Amino acid sequence: MEAPASPVLSESQLATLAEHGEERTAKVGDVLYRVGDRSYPLIAILEGEVAILDAAGNEIVRHGPSKFLGEMNLLTGQTVFLTAAVTEPLRYIAVERDALRPLLFDDGPLSDLLLSTFMSRREALQRVDGVGVEIVGPHGSEATMRMVDFLRANRLPFTWNDAPPEEAEAPLVRLPGGTEMPAPSTGEVLRALGIGRELAPREEVDLLVVGGGPAGLGAAVYGASEGLETLVVESTALGGQAGSSRRIENYLGFPAGISGAELTSRAVSQARKFNARPATPYRAVALDPGNGRHIVRLEEGHEIAARSVILATGAQYRRLPVDGLAEYEGLSVFYAAGPPEAQLCGASRVGVVGGGNSAGQAAVWLARAGALVTLLHRRADLGETMSDYLVRELARYGVAVRDKSEIGTLHGDDGHLEAVTLKTGERLPLSFLFLFLGALPCTEWLGDAVARDEDGFVLTGGAAGGGYLLETSIPGVFAAGDVRSGSTKRCAAAVGEGSMAVQLVHARLAGERSG
Ligand SMILES: Cc1cc2nc3c(=O)[nH]c(=O)nc-3n(C[C@H](O)[C@H](O)[C@H](O)COP(=O)(O)OP(=O)(O)OC[C@H]3O[C@@H](n4cnc5c(N)ncnc54)[C@H](O)[C@@H]3O)c2cc1C
């Protein structure tokens, strides 16, 4: 494995950390934190050396003077995944998590350095076997696959043993530190790892945002910063679709591009800074419009009474209409291409299906990681659906493009793909498939509660029968981002709509007060 990122702190950054932390010493053999601990401080090394070990005691990396220890769980509060053992007499600065948070908001350059290092360390950890959560369960078990998808979407390091657990219902989940959970819910795992907020059975808020993608997080930042008591409920992972994007090249202010994970992690920190409350994993299952308070019911029986609601549930990937697809999903068929998938597919034949920018980005990313990539799409000319710069990148990284190609059959054994047959009858040897076939709106849970268009996207403004621009057919219930009929399916548009919806919430609430 390539060593996780390890930048050096400047003298002035060490001095800043010293002001917010405490200088300590440790002897050779001391353990600064270990797998399964509930929390740990940021550690900046002044003198000496520390080895970072996995749960089995294998060394991952060593850090010396001016380096720092820590990764994403310093921000999220997740259980510790690694052990830090002193290998040379140590003098260091320890900054506790509560002291670190305000510092990250106040010191831009230090915050950039720490955040991007935490992110790249997390990406590196996702590629290491034996770090994080262990899942035991066969790929034929729906509950196992739900758990695998969930941990992947939350970017948690995990190892998956594709076999039935002994004497327990699948999946058996083993936490860092060894605690075993037989067939837990995703919420139970997240909360056991120290992430995720426990909601009261009934909560009352000014603004409930349903969905924690760019639109929902945008609404949360603006809502909370403008004094609304704001709760965000998210069913899977904060960050939404954008969080799974390898690189967002067209988001304003990031000329070199930014990974979706980094952009959305920053957004989550920003929302928390303004006291918005993000709660995961909580799935909204029903909306009962009311007069003054709307009720949103959540999967585990919770009920949220909100003066205003912003629907920001986005859309979900379309699946390929072929027999036996489920058998391959998660093993050799994927809907996102992140570091673990790139690692898995190196030097293999890979098919990326779709003609949009997300397919293009995934194909380039996988090709750069050493896969032999063929991009398959339905139309005659890729330029009709993909940005020019990506079409050029495909050529640059040797991606073969096949126009007018649709998959008819999958061939393989036990979830391992060997080939596909196109509808023309041509057979292509492919070991992995990545599907980027567009999206369906996540609106089924709304039933008839709000007016939707024929594809299920939520109607707003004039199309919904009056009201404010982003208001649905129910006064006080707004829609923002990909879930909204006619919206531009882009991060910037989603964030913009989230912020705009908050202005309209204020207008609606003011109207109610004066009305
Ligand atoms: C691989 C990929 C690459 C992309 N690259 C780019 C790019 O380079 N540039 C760009 O501008 N755009 C890009 N996009 C598009 C961009 O990510 C989306 O337009 C944007 O994420 C939409 O934001 P959203 O908040 O409306 O919805 P989403 O991001 O879809 O977020 C919706 C959230 O709601 C949650 N949710 C759904 N149902 C429920 C429920 N019932 N209860 C609670 N929560 C629920 C979902 O879990 C999800 O987290 C990309 C998308 C993908 C998939």
Side-chain angles (χ1 to χ4, degrees):
M1 185 201 94
E2 78 203 60
S6 184
V8 169
L9 293 163
S10 67
E11 285 298 321
S12 68
Q13 286 170 330
L14 284 168
T16 306
L17 290 172
E19 275 171 35
H20 291 78
E22 187 185 272
E23 193 174 313
R24 298 179 191 167
T25 56
K27 306 186 296 299
V28 173
D30 282 356
V31 171
L32 301 174
Y33 52 82
R34 66 176 76 244
V35 173
D37 282 357
R38 299 305 299 183
S39 67
Y40 68 114
L42 175 83
I43 290 176
I45 301 175
L46 298 170
E47 283 166 20
E49 190 188 61
V50 178
I52 302 296
L53 315 170
D54 69 14
N58 301 312
E59 186 171 316
I60 295 177
V61 68
R62 281 186 188 217
H63 294 298
S66 301
K67 304 283 178 73
F68 58 93
L69 318 186
E71 63 98 44
M72 274 315 283
N73 50 6
L74 256 181
L75 299 183
T76 58
Q78 292 158 16
T79 299
V80 177
F81 299 124
L82 300 167
T83 294
V86 179
T87 47
E88 282 178 21
L90 196 70
R91 196 162 65 82
Y92 66 100
I93 302 162
V95 185
E96 296 298 337
R97 207 173 143 233
D98 287 346
L100 182 64
R101 277 187 166 279
L103 184 58
L104 290 181
F105 294 123
D106 294 344
D107 188 329
L110 181 62
S111 163
D112 279 348
L113 178 80
L114 295 180
L115 211 65
S116 53
T117 308
F118 293 166
M119 287 298 310
S120 55
R121 285 180 179 171
R122 172 56 62 92
E123 290 204 342
L125 284 186
Q126 287 179 275
R127 293 191 288 256
V128 186
D129 267 350
V131 171
V133 176
E134 187 187 345
I135 304 174
V136 186
H139 69 268
S141 139
E142 212 176 288
T144 300
M145 293 317 295
R146 226 184 1 257
M147 191 61 69
V148 168
D149 287 345
F150 180 76
L151 294 181
R152 201 171 263 146
N154 277 280
R155 292 184 285 281
L156 288 164
F158 69 94
T159 308
W160 172 25
N161 179 355
D162 179 8
E166 281 173 29
E167 295 170 28
E169 202 183 323
L172 177 73
V173 174
R174 207 167 279 130
L175 301 179
T179 307
E180 292 193 346
M181 303 176 79
S185 72
T186 51
E188 284 165 345
V189 171
L190 213 56
R191 285 187 275 279
L193 285 170
I195 338 162
R197 174 183 299 277
E198 195 80 67
L199 287 177
R202 182 184 158 93
E203 301 253 353
E204 294 198 1
V205 291
D206 295 332
L207 171 61
L208 172 66
V209 181
V210 187
L217 292 172
V221 166
Y222 285 89
S225 68
E226 290 168 17
L228 295 173
E229 197 198 345
T230 304
L231 175 67
V232 185
V233 289
E234 162 57 52
S235 60
T236 313
L238 291 166
Q241 293 172 70
S244 70
S245 174
R246 282 299 319 142
R247 200 136 201 98
I248 297 175
E249 298 280 0
N250 50 5
Y251 195 79
L252 192 71
F254 294 90
I258 181 165
S259 77
E262 184 166 353
L263 183 69
T264 54
S265 295
R266 284 171 184 269
V268 173
S269 305
Q270 202 172 8
R272 288 203 172 109
K273 169 180 159 180
F274 289 119
N275 287 330
R277 293 191 296 147
T280 58
Y282 288 100
R283 178 177 298 279
V285 291
L287 166 67
D288 296 335
N291 201 357
R293 291 244 175 223
H294 307 288
I295 305 292
V296 172
R297 296 182 203 288
L298 308 182
E299 203 168 35
E300 290 176 23
H302 299 77
E303 183 181 292
I304 317 292
R307 293 169 67 205
S308 52
V309 178
I310 296 180
L311 304 173
T313 49
Q316 250 185 1
Y317 314 114
R318 235 179 255 274
R319 298 172 80 232
L320 199 64
V322 293
D323 287 343
L325 179 69
E327 193 193 332
Y328 298 95
E329 284 175 325
L331 278 182
S332 46
V333 171
F334 301 98
Y335 295 86
E341 291 79 22
Q343 169 107 337
L344 185 68
C345 298
S348 306
R349 289 179 199 277
V350 171
V352 173
V353 186
N357 281 358
S358 36
Q361 286 171 351
V364 169
W365 160 252
L366 293 165
R368 288 180 65 174
L372 288 168
V373 183
T374 303
L375 185 128
L376 304 137
H377 74 112
R378 277 191 311 183
R379 300 188 187 226
D381 178 8
L382 196 55
E384 288 175 34
T385 48
M386 194 178 287
S387 300
D388 283 352
Y389 84 91
L390 271 172
V391 176
R392 285 195 297 274
E393 292 267 287
L394 292 177
R396 185 167 156 215
Y397 290 101
V399 174
V401 176
R402 297 187 66 115
D403 303 331
K404 293 190 187 166
S405 298
E406 287 185 64
I407 293 176
T409 318
L410 306 179
H411 309 278
D413 194 24
D414 204 22
H416 297 283
L417 190 71
E418 284 160 15
V420 304
T421 304
L422 302 184
K423 287 190 176 165
T424 53
E426 193 180 350
R427 190 176 164 115
L428 303 179
L430 293 174
S431 305
F432 298 97
L433 271 188
F434 289 81
L435 306 178
F436 297 93
L437 302 170
L440 296 168
C442 300
T443 52
E444 270 181 21
W445 65 279
L446 289 166
D448 295 331
V450 298
R452 295 185 282 155
D453 70 14
E454 56 193 16
D455 295 320
F457 290 90
V458 177
L459 293 169
T460 50
Y468 293 104
L469 202 56
L470 300 181
E471 201 165 32
T472 68
S473 52
I474 309 293
V477 177
F478 297 81
D482 281 13
V483 77
R484 196 176 69 76
S485 177
S487 70
T488 303
K489 308 295 186 261
R490 289 277 181 273
C491 283
V495 172
E497 289 195 6
S499 76
M500 186 172 153
V502 169
Q503 285 309 306
L504 303 172
V505 163
H506 284 301
R508 169 58 67 194
L509 294 178
E512 276 170 15
R513 275 196 295 276
S514 61

